[in-house]
């Protein structure tokens, strides 16, 4: 977790940063700055989902010079991927995507 703090200059709260660790060693993921994906029984745990999401962010976006640039590039990438997704439906919502019943 110290790597994340060092890279992002303490922009996030420590209790947030402490949930993530970079992959270390000689694996392919370590050279790309990927995060370790912890085991999750439900696949809905924040550290699991956060690491999965970060590892899917393209390297050129991860290497952005600041938060505003990162946000703009990432938003454009997400919107482009939605526009190009033939399976996208307007009724896609969080609860449908993760199969969660939010009705009560």
């Amino acid at each position: 977790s110290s790597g994340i703090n060092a890279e992002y200059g303490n922009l996030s709260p420590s209790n947030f940063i402490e949930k993530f660790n970079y992959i270390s060693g000689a694996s392919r993921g370590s050279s790309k700055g990927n995060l370790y994906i912890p085991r999750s029984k439900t696949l809905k745990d924040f550290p699991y989902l956060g690491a999965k999401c970060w590892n899917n962010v393209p390297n050129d976006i991860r290497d952005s010079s600041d938060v505003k640039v990162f946000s703009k590039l990432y938003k454009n990438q997400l919107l482009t991927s939605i526009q190009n997704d033939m399976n996208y439906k307007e009724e896609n919502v969080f609860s449908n995507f993760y199969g969660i019943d939010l009705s009560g």
Side-chain angles (χ1 to χ4, degrees):
S1 63
S2 61
I4 294 173
N5 252 344
E7 185 169 340
Y8 292 100
N10 298 320
L11 293 174
S12 298
S14 61
N15 62 342
F16 176 84
I17 293 295
E18 291 168 358
K19 296 187 183 311
F20 301 102
N21 291 299
Y22 280 112
I23 296 174
S24 61
S27 68
R28 288 181 297 185
S30 67
S31 64
K32 296 180 181 180
N34 284 349
L35 296 175
Y36 170 74
I37 300 173
R39 292 182 183 204
S40 172
K41 290 182 182 180
T42 64
L43 305 180
K44 298 174 189 168
D45 297 323
F46 179 72
Y48 172 82
L49 290 173
K52 291 281 283 187
C53 289
W54 176 255
N55 292 349
N56 284 314
V57 174
N59 287 334
D60 60 322
I61 295 174
R62 287 190 206 181
D63 295 338
S64 300
S65 58
D66 65 42
V67 174
K68 288 183 181 182
V69 172
F70 174 87
S71 296
K72 181 178 180 181
L73 291 173
Y74 191 53
K75 177 181 173 184
N76 288 338
Q77 191 266 338
L78 289 174
L79 292 174
T80 299
S81 65
I82 288 171
Q83 290 172 340
N84 295 333
D85 184 353
M86 301 303 287
N87 296 315
Y88 178 78
K89 299 176 186 166
E90 287 188 22
E91 65 271 9
N92 281 352
V93 292
F94 180 85
S95 59
N96 288 345
F97 184 72
Y98 288 107
I100 300 169
D101 181 13
L102 298 176
S103 62

